[in-house]
Amino acid sequence: MEPNTTLTIFWAAVIGFAIIMYVVLDGFDLGVGILFTVVHEDEHRGVMMNSVAPVWDGNETWLVMGGGGLLATFPLAYSVLFPAIYAPLIAMLLGLAFRGVSFEYRWRATKGRFIWNAGFAGGSLLAAFCQGLALGTVLQGVEIANREYAGGWWDWLTPFSILTGLSVVSGYILLGSTWLILKTEGALQERAFGIAKVAGVVTLGFIVAVSIWTPFLGDTYFARWYSWPNILYVSPVPILVVIVAALFWRALLARQERAPFLLALVLFVITYAGLAVSMYPYIAPPTLTIFDAAAPSSSQIFLLYGAPVLLVILLCYTGYSYWVFRGKVTAKSGYH
Amino acid sequence: MFESADAVLLARFQFAFTVAFHIIFPSFSIGLASFLAVLEGLWLITKRDVYLRLFKYWVRIFAVAFGMGVVSGVVMAYQIGTNWGVFADRAGPIIGPLMGYEVLSAFFLEAGFLGVMLFGLNRVGKGLHFFSTLMVAIGTLGSAFWILSVNSWMQTPAGYEMNEVGQFVAADWAAVIFNPSFPYRLVHMVLAAYITTALVVGAVGAWHLLRGNREEPIRIMFSMAMWMLTIVVPMQLYAGDAHGRNTLEYQPAKIAAIEGHYESYPDGHAPLILLGWPSNEAGETLYSIEVPLLGSLILTHDLTSPLQGLDAFPREDWPPTTIVFFTFRAMVGLGVLMLGLGLFSLYKRIRHKLYDSTWLHRYAVIMGPAGFAAVLCGWVTTEVGRQPFTVYNLLRTADSASPLDAPAVGASLLAFIIVYFFIFGAGTLYILRLMRGTPASSEEAPISEGPTRTAGFTQIQAPEHSRRPEAGD
């Protein structure tokens, strides 16, 4: 019944995959929501919302998969991490609730439309910021004793977690604006190009800031990034970030429509890989590793029967659904 | 605020509140998804426009209800970790994989095909669109399968062993999934969802009939709903009885509490306590009105089988008897009223008065929300009846909580209450507004239209530019 080492690594990779899928997919639709704060024209807002309406629900399902999957494969991590990020987690859920119902409500409201515009923007912003807070809280370390969370209720609020919170907001704006470049045209696309430029620079600044700060949070992080010969193995991460950032800038200047979004996705994947490098094998630094937290082998094996096949199938139909709604979205004529 | 409150009690309130709000939406969307699949199937087979009109009418209501179900459901996936960390750690190896399969096989299916179902009719063609509707319907049922398996395992745990750190570990997954109460609970809940939906559809149809609208779509929706009730409510009574007998076998203390039986009846001949005030303090049901012998007949289907009362169990294992006693009676009472509606409609149908009986239509309108009330009462009965345990007889609720801080739990509970009442109140309002409209002819009711612009309900017309784009035109 002991956890199996190979399976533990496999399931950690699956959970990691679910989280990055969530981050990039819901990231762009949360980013579109946040952009309601700067785009005020009703017509544009309608287009923005419609560009994500058919897919947001699927995107958010990755969050449920992350939560449910963590419970299934690393129950101890699930049970100690969530109390550690209690307040931001609940605030995130409430933010997601507000912005989730706004998709339908905005079209149903008559006088109340402004509420759901605000709910969509505010809920998206709150959810994004809280996800960043949660990331920062986990990175800076979680106190555990006797298989329970042993830290305080305000441990999540630190300068570092605020920095990661703002980073995620900025990153999601980057994803959202490049998504709009891809899906819209005319004046709105013009706005999106402008926003993407600013968001690109700001996000890069945040990446640098978090990267410099993280190694000073704990000795393991420091050793991983700055000791010889580790520095050789991890050096591709910053180098790739620089290359992708340069390509991204060039694509924006060349007014390409697809490349900015794809490169923003790549940027997220690289920085995420950087975080994984920092954390492995810890799931709740600085004490709990994936091997400590893994579910017993009977649970790991039971999931192995169905999960990989189901994952492949669901990736296929998720891709199909994106393909059905491909192309530009406009106010008058809908999807072309 | 909340410093002096009991953190575990607040956490229980929080879970009860969020899960009670959540269960309302699946009760409706499970039934409605199947109803929509039937409507679209009928449209494809008969090629009659009226079914498409009905589909387009109900799919908009479905979209609002489904949205509320999604956002309240995401909360549940995290609530177990925030407030019930010890339970999550200990029971996670069992319930986690079941919930994992729920996400992978059901949630993604619903979410992946919902977009196509709502927005894609003109983009993918009829066949693929129908396929999408079917996938959404199957997804809702699949979700019910897994989550009820989880819940049933907590009620009647089976197929497990304990490891050295105190976790429940599966020894036999088939026994875990198909634990003793699961088949009964699954059937009972799915039928409840179908009945709940039929009551809502019937009430909407009846309301329009009362307003003098006798158009074909209105008549069809009313007739279909009444057929559903006539046939399914009797099935539900049978399923409920079987579920009760299963509970008697595996959770006798819960049945004793439901019945208000504090004394055991070793030779049977137990009375049925119709009403009274069960009091755990007094150790008896006060002011009881009893029918002799009927308790034994209902529970054991004979007069002489022994029946345990709460006195057969240690006092610290008694559930809060007063609550389950009344919620159970409310559920059964509502069930009888539903049966009455089904039979009344059958009588009127035979006499060809289905669309003319004002009393039937009034009855149907009043019964519109009855399904939700019965579902909530039923869940309160079974969940409160499981107390004081989270995993029945194995893990106490008091030992299941995270290290909680009352102010944190209290503040988040307050936030949930405010936000939920606001957003779900608004959602209910919008659904009622959609129901006030009528099924338009299909040319004027694009499937993914924004604000309703149906005949007879024109005051909420949206300006042209703000409409949701139509699929494919």
Side-chain angles (χ1 to χ4, degrees):
Chain A
M1 284 298 142
E2 284 295 301
N4 171 305
T5 309
T6 315
L7 284 178
T8 300
I9 294 170
F10 173 76
W11 286 118
V14 171
I15 298 293
F17 176 72
I19 293 173
I20 187 65
M21 284 299 282
Y22 171 74
V23 167
V24 297
L25 293 179
D26 216 27
F28 78 72
D29 75 49
L30 286 167
V32 168
I34 297 169
L35 288 177
F36 264 46
T37 53
V38 292
V39 179
H40 300 288
E41 297 84 349
D42 202 51
E43 187 177 347
H44 288 167
R45 285 178 161 182
V47 172
M48 287 161 72
M49 203 177 238
N50 276 323
S51 75
V52 292
V55 292
W56 76 272
D57 181 18
N59 297 346
E60 215 168 288
T61 307
W62 290 99
L63 181 66
V64 183
M65 160 131 182
L70 195 64
L71 174 61
T73 52
F74 300 95
L76 183 57
Y78 178 92
S79 77
V80 297
L81 283 177
F82 288 4
I85 52 172
Y86 197 94
L89 193 64
I90 301 241
M92 175 196 83
L93 294 171
L94 293 173
L96 288 177
F98 249 100
R99 57 98 58 180
V101 297
S102 300
F103 279 100
E104 282 298 322
Y105 290 9
R106 188 174 178 274
W107 306 103
R108 304 292 159 213
T110 49
K111 295 193 197 89
R113 173 171 283 193
F114 72 96
I115 299 173
W116 306 114
N117 284 332
F120 191 55
S124 303
L125 183 62
L126 181 66
F129 184 63
C130 289
Q131 286 169 11
L133 282 178
L135 170 68
T137 308
V138 174
L139 275 177
Q140 74 197 9
V142 172
E143 217 176 300
I144 300 163
N146 298 323
R147 298 178 79 84
E148 287 185 9
Y149 175 61
W153 289 100
W154 293 93
D155 285 9
W156 52 271
L157 190 63
T158 62
F160 180 73
S161 70
I162 291 173
L163 176 71
T164 52
L166 294 173
S167 308
V168 169
V169 171
S170 162
Y172 284 0
I173 291 175
L174 176 67
L175 285 174
S177 57
T178 53
W179 168 260
L180 291 179
I181 291 173
L182 174 71
K183 297 295 282 187
T184 67
E185 50 199 11
L188 179 56
Q189 191 191 37
E190 202 56 40
R191 290 283 292 281
F193 267 113
I195 295 165
K197 270 186 193 165
V198 179
V201 174
V202 174
T203 303
L204 205 60
F206 277 121
I207 291 174
V208 172
V210 173
S211 306
I212 291 174
W213 195 328
T214 307
F216 294 97
L217 289 171
D219 295 341
T220 13
Y221 297 152
F222 194 90
R224 186 134 311 159
W225 287 96
Y226 292 142
S227 71
W228 189 263
N230 267 6
I231 203 161
L232 275 186
Y233 306 133
V234 299
S235 60
V237 175
I239 293 170
L240 280 173
V241 168
V242 171
I243 294 172
V244 172
L247 288 173
F248 175 78
W249 196 252
R250 221 179 58 172
L252 275 190
L253 291 183
R255 306 195 55 81
Q256 292 178 346
E257 297 192 334
R258 271 188 209 155
F261 181 63
L262 295 176
L263 288 166
L265 291 184
V266 173
L267 193 63
F268 260 81
V269 172
I270 297 168
T271 47
Y272 183 75
L275 289 173
V277 166
S278 294
M279 281 182 66
Y280 184 84
Y282 293 95
I283 196 164
T287 49
L288 194 70
T289 69
I290 54 174
F291 305 104
D292 304 325
S297 60
S298 68
S299 304
Q300 295 180 320
I301 292 166
F302 174 62
L303 276 168
L304 201 60
Y305 292 139
V309 177
L310 288 168
L311 259 175
V312 170
I313 296 172
L314 77 87
L315 283 171
C316 288
Y317 61 67
T318 304
Y320 168 75
S321 148
Y322 271 85
W323 186 76
V324 166
F325 295 101
R326 69 197 176 280
K328 297 283 185 187
V329 185
T330 58
K332 279 257 160 35
S333 52
Y335 310 104
H336 290 289
Chain B
M1 201 162 53
F2 301 113
E3 273 84 6
S4 58
D6 176 358
V8 174
L9 197 63
L10 285 172
R12 288 176 63 191
F13 273 131
Q14 186 173 321
F15 200 92
F17 179 78
T18 50
V19 80
F21 256 93
H22 176 62
I23 189 64
I24 290 173
F25 305 109
S27 310
F28 189 39
S29 57
I30 291 169
L32 207 48
S34 296
F35 182 50
L36 287 167
V38 170
L39 287 173
E40 190 170 4
L42 285 171
W43 173 56
L44 291 177
I45 294 166
T46 65
K47 311 240 180 324
R48 290 186 56 207
D49 185 54
V50 63
Y51 292 116
L52 182 62
R53 287 168 70 180
L54 279 169
F55 177 86
K56 289 180 174 180
Y57 179 77
W58 283 103
V59 82
R60 293 191 204 176
I61 292 166
F62 179 76
V64 179
F66 195 88
M68 294 195 273
V70 169
V71 299
S72 59
V74 175
V75 172
M76 301 322 301
Y78 284 82
Q79 182 103 116
I80 299 173
T82 50
N83 288 350
W84 301 100
V86 176
F87 168 76
D89 175 31
R90 296 191 54 190
I94 300 259
I95 66 166
L98 303 184
M99 286 160 93
Y101 273 115
E102 179 184 21
V103 178
L104 290 169
S105 68
F107 288 163
F108 274 111
L109 201 64
E110 292 170 356
F113 287 99
L114 182 73
V116 179
M117 177 186 177
L118 294 182
F119 307 110
L121 182 56
N122 298 330
R123 289 179 83 97
V124 299
K126 291 174 186 173
L128 269 175
H129 187 267
F130 181 51
F131 179 76
S132 302
T133 307
L134 277 180
M135 289 303 111
V136 172
I138 291 171
T140 59
L141 289 170
S143 168
F145 177 92
W146 289 109
I147 202 65
L148 288 170
S149 177
V150 169
N151 180 275
S152 300
W153 185 83
M154 290 166 65
Q155 304 273 359
T156 53
Y160 66 91
E161 51 197 46
M162 309 293 288
N163 70 5
E164 67 284 1
V165 291
Q167 289 176 309
F168 296 93
V169 176
D172 175 359
W173 279 103
V176 167
I177 297 170
F178 298 98
N179 60 76
S181 65
F182 171 56
Y184 298 92
R185 199 179 313 276
L186 177 66
V187 171
H188 198 42
M189 180 62 207
V190 171
L191 291 181
Y194 283 166
I195 292 170
T196 299
T197 307
L199 286 165
V200 173
V201 173
V204 171
W207 188 78
H208 286 289
L209 286 169
L210 282 174
R211 303 226 317 175
N213 185 338
R214 296 170 54 90
E215 282 181 34
E216 195 185 14
I218 301 291
R219 281 184 282 129
I220 287 182
M221 77 165 89
F222 185 67
S223 173
M224 285 176 83
M226 291 304 120
W227 268 130
M228 196 72 187
L229 292 178
T230 307
I231 297 165
V232 179
V233 176
M235 290 164 64
Q236 179 72 312
L237 293 192
Y238 181 78
D241 175 62
H243 190 14
R245 285 164 58 78
N246 176 266
T247 309
L248 177 64
E249 187 178 346
Y250 290 95
Q251 298 177 299
K254 187 195 278 187
I255 289 292
I258 285 172
E259 295 296 321
H261 286 164
Y262 283 87
E263 287 170 56
S264 296
Y265 297 88
D267 315 314
H269 297 86
L272 176 72
I273 301 178
L274 283 178
L275 277 175
W277 186 267
S279 164
N280 277 1
E281 279 92 67
E284 61 176 320
T285 298
L286 307 168
Y287 323 113
S288 64
I289 304 166
E290 304 182 358
V291 181
L293 307 181
L294 197 56
S296 278
L297 275 180
I298 290 177
L299 290 169
T300 59
H301 293 201
D302 67 45
L303 282 178
T304 52
S305 303
L307 262 182
Q308 287 178 310
L310 285 170
D311 59 5
F313 305 93
R315 190 133 185 172
E316 66 270 19
D317 292 353
W318 290 4
T321 307
T322 320
I323 297 174
V324 298
F325 182 85
F326 284 107
T327 52
F328 179 78
R329 274 152 190 74
M331 176 189 75
V332 172
L334 288 167
V336 171
L337 290 174
M338 293 170 200
L339 182 70
L341 180 58
L343 295 178
F344 190 27
S345 74
L346 183 65
Y347 171 74
K348 290 290 178 188
R349 189 191 296 274
I350 291 167
R351 302 193 53 193
H352 300 287
K353 295 274 186 209
L354 191 64
Y355 309 115
D356 303 301
S357 168
T358 309
W359 282 109
L360 174 66
H361 301 159
R362 284 182 187 150
Y363 189 178
V365 169
I366 290 169
M367 291 297 285
F372 299 110
V375 165
L376 284 174
C377 287
W379 275 108
V380 170
T381 306
T382 199
E383 297 297 276
V384 174
R386 192 193 60 226
Q387 300 300 329
F389 302 98
T390 48
V391 181
Y392 201 63
N393 282 341
L394 297 170
L395 182 60
R396 285 184 176 271
T397 307
D399 302 330
S400 300
S402 307
L404 290 165
D405 202 19
V409 187
S412 58
L413 171 62
L414 206 60
F416 272 119
I417 291 174
I418 293 168
V419 171
Y420 273 32
F421 272 108
F422 184 70
I423 60 178
F424 297 131
T428 310
L429 183 78
Y430 296 141
I431 285 183
L432 289 175
R433 241 188 225 175
L434 286 170
M435 288 172 170
R436 194 158 57 152
T438 50
S441 62
S442 54
E443 310 81 62
E444 54 180 302
I447 194 163
S448 63
E449 183 55 276
T452 4
R453 46 163 183 168
T454 47
F457 188 54
T458 51
Q459 67 267 42
I460 57 162
Q461 284 230 355
E464 181 66 33
H465 65 268
S466 67
R467 285 214 197 100
R468 173 173 296 193
E470 292 164 24
D473 60 5

